[in-house]
Amino acid sequence: MNAPSLPAAALSRRVHDLVALFRSIERDRMAGVPVLNPALQVEAVGFEPAFDPKIADPASRIDVEAIGILVTPWFMNLVVMPLERRDDVAGVGVSRARSVGSESFDFIGGHEPAFGAYAACSLFSPMFEFVDQAAAVATARAVLTTLRTPVTAAEPAPSPARRSFLLGRSSAAGAVR
């Protein structure tokens, strides 16, 4: 396997494991809980590798993470997870601000014995406002598109020349106030 495919394979494996974990939670721990929207199912949306510049070294792929949205019948969360399993139970319940695009969100650390550490930021809970899976996934995709679209700086409006301003002229050539 060549180096560029390693992160893709790790990402695919971790996303698969995340979905399997939450399907198991739905089946076992959430069975019969009234906050489940029966029109929805567990689905991972738009997970991509990400590097946290505070802890990551992209060249060595140390602490490479993935971020995306997890849709379940009871919540929709932004989720950050390491591409390689980490068992950091000390981070469970700890809130940490993280940048996603140009926005900052508070993520709460979590850990599941079958999966390892991850962090989540709630977007929706419960999920009754979604009529079906397609609506929930479309919302997740729209959120990710918005967060991943680079913010372009607006060009500042040209300021009038100092002399024109003091003499009461507008920036238009030859105009006098």
Side-chain angles (χ1 to χ4, degrees):
M1 193 179 293
N2 60 19
S5 65
L6 287 174
L11 175 62
S12 178
R13 184 183 72 250
R14 291 294 283 169
V15 169
H16 176 270
D17 291 349
L18 181 71
V19 169
L21 168 68
F22 278 88
R23 284 182 179 156
S24 173
I25 290 171
E26 176 185 14
R27 189 177 51 251
D28 300 335
R29 295 185 222 166
M30 297 300 290
V33 177
V35 297
L36 296 178
N37 180 340
L40 303 180
Q41 62 187 19
V42 175
E43 185 173 343
V45 179
F47 276 83
E48 293 181 355
F51 299 95
D52 184 337
K54 294 176 188 158
I55 63 170
D57 176 8
S60 68
R61 293 188 3 256
I62 295 172
D63 289 325
V64 177
E65 300 177 318
I67 187 162
I69 293 181
L70 183 64
V71 173
T72 74
W74 64 100
F75 70 69
M76 181 186 301
N77 287 353
L78 273 169
V79 173
V80 174
M81 61 184 177
L83 285 185
E84 296 298 326
R85 182 187 171 115
R86 240 186 273 147
D87 284 306
D88 177 18
V89 293
V92 173
V94 175
S95 178
R96 178 174 163 225
R98 303 179 68 102
S99 294
V100 182
S102 64
E103 300 295 325
S104 180
F105 296 94
D106 289 331
F107 283 77
I108 306 295
H111 181 274
E112 287 289 333
F115 183 77
Y118 65 94
C121 173
S122 180
L123 299 174
F124 295 93
S125 182
M127 296 287 285
F128 294 117
E129 64 190 86
F130 297 99
V131 296
D132 58 21
Q133 187 74 15
V137 170
T139 299
R141 290 192 194 289
V143 167
L144 288 172
T145 297
T146 300
L147 291 175
R148 290 175 174 159
T149 300
V151 176
T152 56
E155 290 187 30
S159 58
R162 188 172 178 191
R163 182 172 284 163
S164 295
F165 176 75
L166 293 173
L167 295 174
R169 296 185 195 136
S170 73
S171 60
V176 178
R177 282 194 213 192

